[in-house]
Amino acid sequence: MSLVKVRNLNKWFGRLHALKDVNLEVREGEVAVVIGASGSGKSTLLRCLNFLEVPEQGQVIFDGKVIDPRRDDLNLLRREVGMVFQHFNLFPHMSVLENIIEAPVMVKKVPREKAIEEAQALLHKVGLADKVDAYPCQLSGGQQQRVAIARALAMHPRLMLFDEPTSALDPELVGEVLAVMKQLAGEGMTMIVVTHEMGFAREVADRVIFMDEGRIVEEGEPAQVFSRPQKSRTRDFLSRVL
Ligand code: ADP
Ligand code: MG
């Protein structure tokens, strides 16, 4: 059963055709990794999945339901879909704990005490139990990103979207974030991950999706895409990044 399905998605920015007939299906528990050159439409695709961008054409079907962005569906969808960005986007004036409980308390009306308990468990899970009262500016990039992951998880999403979650990090901090993501994948979370970390893709992805100029050019199991790419554009891209 597919948790999210995208049908003939097209997105324009003015005259720029950023997504061209994108079709995609991600099953429950699957980890899909999206790769491709800068400007190929990876972020736009993720943003269309939770309607941070509204596609001009096509459908996003979540859990069997066509999402209509003009209706209430959007709030429901956004509760079910967590997103982690390249630049963490924590609230700078809030402590780590406050960052994590904000949405559960304000949006989901979870009782504060319960939200705090859960936040503590999530911080433990991402290895930051001792940072509960810290402010984002007191944390390393890797720690901030792990808080951002905990914050997304606090809403109990059924799908997690990651847009280059390690691209802004110093190299020595990349591993700790990837380790949390790998753990999450191991627990069965459905994930769509845009990344340039080909090692992570090889090891963790069930499926690798290569995008070029707004299209999905090739997809398959990591071993297939990395070792026996079928399309010349995929081969060109891989020869530059591997
Ligand atoms: P990627 O994430 O693969 O680097 P993006 O999805 O960010 O690519 O961008 C795809 C194309 O759409 C690029 O040419 C980019 O410049 C353009 N684009 C992205 N967002 C916007 C926007 N808000 N307004 C105009 N053009 C945009
Ligand atoms: Mg991007």
Side-chain angles (χ1 to χ4, degrees):
M1 160 89 188
S2 68
L3 179 59
V4 65
K5 194 166 169 178
V6 162
R7 255 200 222 138
N8 294 322
L9 208 63
N10 280 275
K11 172 72 194 169
W12 283 265
F13 294 110
R15 295 172 63 179
L16 176 81
H17 197 175
L19 292 179
K20 299 168 184 161
D21 291 324
V22 170
N23 288 283
L24 177 69
E25 211 170 316
V26 178
R27 295 184 312 273
E28 198 130 36
E30 192 178 15
V31 178
V33 167
V34 182
I35 61 172
S38 173
S40 58
K42 306 180 300 295
S43 294
T44 304
L45 173 59
L46 283 198
R47 294 168 63 83
C48 283
L49 285 178
N50 64 359
F51 291 91
L52 288 175
E53 301 284 0
V54 179
E56 277 77 26
Q57 285 178 11
Q59 288 179 324
V60 176
I61 301 157
F62 188 84
D63 201 15
K65 187 169 187 280
V66 179
I67 303 298
D68 181 347
R70 287 157 305 188
R71 301 220 316 230
D72 257 12
D73 304 0
L74 217 49
N75 288 330
L76 289 174
L77 178 79
R78 288 195 179 137
R79 282 186 201 195
E80 310 248 35
V81 180
M83 186 149 178
V84 174
F85 302 87
Q86 184 174 348
H87 292 289
F88 330 137
N89 299 3
L90 297 176
F91 306 117
H93 58 290
M94 290 185 185
S95 71
V96 163
L97 181 74
E98 289 163 341
N99 263 281
I100 296 175
I101 68 172
E102 171 78 9
V105 170
M106 300 306 286
V107 179
K108 268 194 167 172
K109 312 295 177 198
V110 174
R112 201 180 154 79
E113 287 313 310
K114 182 157 187 287
I116 290 175
E117 238 171 67
E118 241 186 297
Q120 285 165 336
L122 283 168
L123 282 171
H124 183 76
K125 182 186 172 92
V126 301
L128 294 171
D130 56 332
K131 299 296 184 190
V132 60
D133 293 320
Y135 280 79
C137 64
Q138 298 169 314
L139 303 177
S140 72
Q143 291 171 331
Q144 288 186 56
Q145 193 60 300
R146 286 186 281 149
V147 172
I149 294 172
R151 182 177 62 173
L153 292 177
M155 290 294 277
H156 296 282
R158 295 178 62 196
L159 170 67
M160 284 284 286
L161 307 175
F162 293 86
D163 193 358
E164 298 198 30
T166 61
S167 293
L169 300 177
D170 291 334
E172 75 272 20
L173 303 178
V174 168
E176 65 193 52
V177 172
L178 293 180
V180 168
M181 292 167 61
K182 187 176 165 187
Q183 183 192 340
L184 206 52
E187 292 168 1
M189 177 62 80
T190 312
M191 299 167 47
I192 305 178
V193 182
V194 174
T195 187
H196 296 292
E197 295 293 333
M198 298 299 153
F200 176 85
R202 253 181 206 280
E203 197 185 343
V204 182
D206 297 302
R207 188 147 50 105
V208 173
I209 296 164
F210 170 64
M211 288 187 72
D212 188 54
E213 296 185 355
R215 290 185 199 281
I216 293 180
V217 170
E218 180 160 358
E219 60 180 301
E221 289 178 6
Q224 149 85 49
V225 174
F226 287 120
S227 309
R228 294 182 304 282
Q230 302 296 302
K231 300 281 166 55
S232 61
R233 284 170 180 235
T234 318
R235 285 195 288 272
D236 287 349
F237 173 75
L238 291 173
S239 71
R240 278 181 274 128
V241 297
L242 286 179

